[in-house]
Amino acid sequence: MPGMAWWRRRPDPGDFPKSDAGKGSLDDFRYDLIPKNGRVTIRLAGSDPHQDLLRPLVGAEEITTAGGQRTVEEEKADAPIQVRLFFERRVIGPVGTVPRGLEAVVLEALSRLEQSGKPTRIPVEVVDTKQGVRVDLLIGKTR
């Protein structure tokens, strides 16, 4: 997208098909990477291979991300952020990755949760769509 400001570009879909490239926009966040409202979501990319893990979780309550900040090695390699889920005292996944360009938003949310003394878990909703089961990070609830 030549001529478009870097902060308005869509996240790079990477090697994922269009139907599984994830979704989210930096326009949904203020300058300090805090969501503008409580309804802001980020749809994970790369969930197609994990349909068998995700299908039983559709509509389930109290699902969150598992894990926290990236390791130094992951930061150095600029590795994609793989997401695992925490549900009923067990870790499931990985179930997808944060779309390119939105990593800083997720890391800032985890940091904000940690600094406020809350568990570093982002609420998640698993939804059934025409393209398959998808994972939405309810990032707006971390405000």
Side-chain angles (χ1 to χ4, degrees), residues 25-131:
S25 173
L26 288 176
D27 290 338
D28 293 334
F29 299 88
R30 296 192 306 232
Y31 71 94
D32 51 2
L33 301 181
I34 294 176
K36 288 182 178 177
N37 62 59
R39 296 179 312 276
V40 174
T41 62
I42 295 175
R43 178 156 292 167
L44 295 183
S47 294
D48 279 348
H50 312 290
Q51 296 296 293
D52 291 340
L53 288 174
L54 293 171
R55 194 157 312 285
L57 301 177
V58 172
E61 301 282 324
E62 298 184 30
I63 304 173
T64 61
T65 59
Q69 300 285 11
R70 297 170 85 172
T71 65
V72 173
E73 291 79 29
E74 289 172 328
E75 275 301 321
K76 286 181 183 176
D78 192 29
I81 299 176
Q82 296 230 332
V83 176
R84 290 172 173 74
L85 302 180
F86 186 75
F87 178 65
E88 293 182 345
R89 296 188 295 188
R90 61 188 170 111
V91 176
I92 301 166
V95 295
T97 60
V98 174
R100 282 285 184 201
L102 296 173
E103 295 96 340
V105 171
V106 172
L107 294 175
E108 178 61 30
L110 292 171
S111 177
R112 211 173 33 254
L113 290 168
E114 186 175 29
Q115 289 173 358
S116 66
K118 298 177 182 173
T120 55
R121 297 190 173 154
I122 299 170
V124 170
E125 183 176 16
V126 180
V127 294
D128 200 2
T129 69
K130 291 181 198 175
Q131 293 82 25

